[in-house]
Amino acid sequence: QVHLVESGGGLVQAGGSLRLSCEASGRTFSNHAMAWFRQAPGKERVFVARISWSGATYYADSVKGRFTISRDNAKNTVYLQMNSLKPEDTAVYYCAAVRTPWILTTNDKAYDYWGQGTQVTVSS
């Protein structure tokens, strides 16, 4: 059974930084795209960043230049470094993975495995 477990969320002041981690178990994802999404209260879940099997990255415009996604295939883990945080970054952040290898997408409906989410709160 596949599990994705996020960690690293918390409360931070505007301008601060947090590093989220997502550890996968049950299978390896070295040939699979992985991504981060977020959902703010009362809003739909939206794409934040994704990383390919080779390390190619892609970001939502709202986080470009502030967030960095990375992965360690040996640890089956993906990270999201978040710098210069803003109050509008407040949301539950979810890690996701695609079941099928070599598929690259930002569409949340294409992602098969999801973590339970970790809360990020940025105070002004």
Side-chain angles (χ1 to χ4, degrees):
Q1 191 171 3
V2 175
H3 292 285
L4 302 180
V5 179
E6 301 102 334
S7 61
L11 173 64
V12 65
Q13 288 189 333
S17 298
L18 284 173
R19 188 193 194 205
L20 306 184
S21 299
C22 170
E23 183 174 3
S25 62
R27 66 175 294 174
T28 60
F29 288 97
S30 58
N31 295 329
H32 301 71
M34 298 189 73
W36 290 93
F37 293 79
R38 67 186 182 187
Q39 187 168 20
K43 295 187 177 181
E44 293 186 352
R45 185 170 60 193
V46 297
F47 167 79
V48 174
R50 66 110 172 103
I51 187 166
S52 76
W53 45 91
S54 63
T57 59
Y58 183 78
Y59 300 92
D61 287 343
S62 59
V63 306
K64 201 173 297 181
R66 299 188 298 121
F67 290 11
T68 301
I69 188 172
S70 60
R71 66 191 300 164
D72 184 337
N73 287 336
K75 296 181 178 179
N76 221 21
T77 299
V78 64
Y79 305 96
L80 186 68
Q81 177 67 44
M82 305 185 296
N83 298 329
S84 303
L85 282 161
K86 304 175 181 180
E88 51 263 44
D89 294 319
T90 295
V92 177
Y93 283 71
Y94 297 92
C95 170
V98 179
R99 179 189 296 122
T100 303
W102 321 120
I103 297 295
L104 206 56
T105 179
T106 61
N107 183 347
D108 65 342
K109 295 178 176 55
Y111 285 81
D112 303 289
Y113 305 111
W114 292 84
Q116 81 288 351
T118 186
Q119 176 70 47
V120 171
T121 302
V122 184
S123 63
S124 57

